[in-house]
Amino acid sequence: MHRLHPITAHPFCRVPALLALLFSSLIGCTTTRNFNIDSKPTGAQIKVDGIPQGIAPVVSPIRFSSTTESHVITATKAGFADATESVHFESSTDVTIELKPGTRFVKVNVEPLAANITVNGKPMTKAPVKIWGGELEFSPDENKVWTTYRIGVERLGFQKVEKTISGADKELTWNVMLQPMRKSINVSSSPQGAHVYLDDRELGTTPLTEKDVPFTTDPQTNQWGFYKLKIVKPGYGPLEQQISWDEAKADYKFDLKPFTKTVKIVSEPAGATVAIDDKPIPPDASGAAIVTLTFAPDDTGKPRTYAAVVSRKTATSEWSPETLTIAWEEGKTDYVVPLKEIKTVLVPLLSAVPERTGDSWQIVPKITRTIARKDVNEGVGRSQPVKVTALPKDTQIDSLSSSRDGLLVFSVLSSPEKGDLRATLKQISVDGNPGVKDLSDGKSLDLHPCFTADGKEILFSSNRGGKRQSIWRIMASGEGGFAQLTNDQTNDLWPVLDPIGKLYYQGLVDNRSDSRIYMTEIGKVGRTDLTQAGGAQPRLNPADINTLLVSDVNEKTGKRDLFVYPLVGKLIPTNITKTPDSDETDAAWSPNGKKLAFVSDRGLDEDKRNNYDIWVMDLAKPDAPIQITTNGSWDDRPVWSPKGDAIFFRSNRGGEWAIWKMAVPTDLQAGNP
């Protein structure tokens, strides 16, 4: 067989094509052609039938086995789409593959409202959208600089936003938050110093500049929104103006006018006199005071105000004057001034109080300003008190005691000379029979009377035997003389005697700063100090002579509490009021010894003042005392009626000191056992 050697020339060109094809198909000969391959732009990676050939321009030999055989040339370059071209035996050996730029998807998300999108100034949307996306061509130039685009986002009322994107960007999604249009506003007024409000938000005082005020349009109508610009200066009428974008206008000026108004002042009740800045305003026919006032600021710039004093007084009543400050008050013209009737009166209280001077105790006068209500009654629906004494004006009742026989004994204080004290013992019947009986002559200081259990005798404290107070006794009938029961170097107060002759009293010893509770037996020498701490106002339980009640002061608060002392066994007191911030005193046992009447300032009167009132405590429920008097006057010194159905007490109600009787609610009554 004849062997054909490979040739590099084109043997098929020397024979007709048909013959060459026949020849090729018969003998299977091959030939190779060199192709000059380039890319546009140049520099692409060239592959022939998937086999890399290098970077264009490149010369690549391609072998053909037949005239119908073809090969695929692929050009790849970053930033361009891949391009291919097929060549066959008769193709030109100069091949240039043109590359087209690559594309990437660009997306724009807009908030809070839809907007128009532009690319390099060319509108991309026919109407505002919130999301836009599209393919854009990107490719690098010969200096490896990528194609860029200028994306614009626009909406009326918002600042235009632009961003340049490049094919080199990894991410081509742009999230846009539209910002409102902004401008600075300059606000001035004549006169200056006015308060400026923008939609009720205070900006400051004129002149001022508020920077970067946002303005937007209505999303439905595309109309510019607006603000209410308000100018306020005391003494001048407020001015308002709507402001909007106003083609970026910045300066806003206001001329202020001073206020003037005509005011009308009436009182409740009618008939008061009115003076404005100390100038009387004559009333008109209806009794109203009418005057025209101007409210321009004074020289210091302070708002002009007027002081009106409204007062009323008649022959029988008086009302507290009211001062009314009249300012502009948004043009208010009518003023109704309710006047509060003075329902209280100051009543002096003369008391004989122990006072430690140097190293000794003395009983000295003390004046306390107390408040009394003119109205003597209790509230609606409550028991009403009855006055049982008719004493001269300014009589100073001190303490009192009641007997089982229906008598009341009380002391009346006087101070004829400065620093001097006198007290007279007086007696009345609790059944309402008229007449007051004097038991002492008022030449000594006779205090703290107390009936014995049988009601036949009265014990009291007196200085009739010397400079100090000691305990004395007199018959309740007033017959006979005065018997002295204690004669120690102490001031002895608040006596009480049990049926077997034991005398209890409060003693003030010169070498001690606190008071003591002593017991002595009638007819015997010596005394027993019963208190571990101080104590005052001893009261013996009529149903249990082994139980004593005293009051004592809390050293931290200065307030008094009530304590029960057992007189047998361990003398350990029990605090039965436990109110360190309230004052409890003047305790009195009920006839059956199961309840206590006492005085406390824990309650509030109608003027929200802590006030001394009468309370009743059931010893079975010491934490739930009941308030008996609520009048708002000073009520104290309670004692029980013989049947335990009423309480007698001292009060300044009505403006004078007197003894009153108050019925006790049925569930609190406490008669004899």
Side-chain angles (χ1 to χ4, degrees), residues 374-428:
K374 295 178 181 179
D375 182 2
V376 301
N377 293 318
E378 295 292 318
V380 177
R382 299 181 63 88
S383 297
Q384 300 303 321
V386 177
K387 186 163 69 171
V388 298
T389 57
L391 301 172
K393 183 176 176 58
D394 298 328
T395 297
Q396 299 286 294
I397 299 173
D398 188 67
S399 54
L400 56 147
S401 178
S402 62
S403 76
R404 61 189 298 175
D405 298 323
L407 296 177
L408 277 177
V409 61
F410 58 96
S411 59
V412 175
L413 280 170
S414 62
S415 182
E417 297 180 10
K418 184 177 181 181
D420 188 24
L421 273 175
R422 298 285 185 267
T424 304
L425 295 182
K426 295 179 180 289
Q427 184 174 274
I428 61 173

Side-chain angles (χ1 to χ4, degrees), residues 334-511:
D334 293 338
Y335 293 87
V336 178
V337 182
L339 297 178
K340 186 176 182 181
E341 186 177 358
I342 299 176
K343 297 181 178 181
T344 61
V345 61
L346 291 177
V347 181
L349 171 62
L350 174 64
S351 303
V353 298
E355 182 180 274
R356 189 169 175 80
T357 303
D359 294 331
S360 65
W361 285 95
Q362 295 182 355
I363 307 301
V364 299
K366 178 183 177 181
I367 300 294
T368 303
R369 289 163 56 91
T370 68
I371 296 176
R373 294 192 66 80
K374 295 178 181 179
D375 182 2
V376 301
N377 293 318
E378 295 292 318
V380 177
R382 299 181 63 88
S383 297
Q384 300 303 321
V386 177
K387 186 163 69 171
V388 298
T389 57
L391 301 172
K393 183 176 176 58
D394 298 328
T395 297
Q396 299 286 294
I397 299 173
D398 188 67
S399 54
L400 56 147
S401 178
S402 62
S403 76
R404 61 189 298 175
D405 298 323
L407 296 177
L408 277 177
V409 61
F410 58 96
S411 59
V412 175
L413 280 170
S414 62
S415 182
E417 297 180 10
K418 184 177 181 181
D420 188 24
L421 273 175
R422 298 285 185 267
T424 304
L425 295 182
K426 295 179 180 289
Q427 184 174 274
I428 61 173
S429 174
V430 301
D431 60 9
N433 291 331
V436 178
K437 180 179 181 179
D438 288 346
L439 298 178
S440 63
D441 58 11
K443 294 181 179 180
S444 56
L445 185 60
D446 299 335
L447 300 171
H448 312 149
C450 177
F451 280 102
T452 56
D454 59 10
K456 295 181 179 181
E457 297 179 309
I458 299 171
L459 280 70
F460 61 99
S461 171
S462 179
N463 63 358
R464 63 183 50 239
K467 293 183 178 181
R468 298 177 186 271
Q469 297 288 126
S470 55
I471 305 304
W472 294 72
R473 177 168 58 186
I474 186 177
M475 298 300 293
S477 64
E479 300 175 352
F482 296 90
Q484 188 172 2
L485 302 182
T486 64
N487 190 19
D488 298 303
Q489 295 301 307
T490 57
N491 280 286
D492 301 334
L493 312 168
W494 297 104
V496 60
L497 183 68
D498 75 4
I500 61 176
K502 290 183 178 181
L503 173 65
Y504 300 89
Y505 60 93
Q506 173 186 344
L508 301 172
V509 184
D510 284 346
N511 64 356

Side-chain angles (χ1 to χ4, degrees), residues 35 75 160 206 229 239 325 423 463 582:
F35 282 80
K160 179 180 179 180
T206 58
L229 183 62
L239 296 177
T325 299
N463 63 358
S582 297

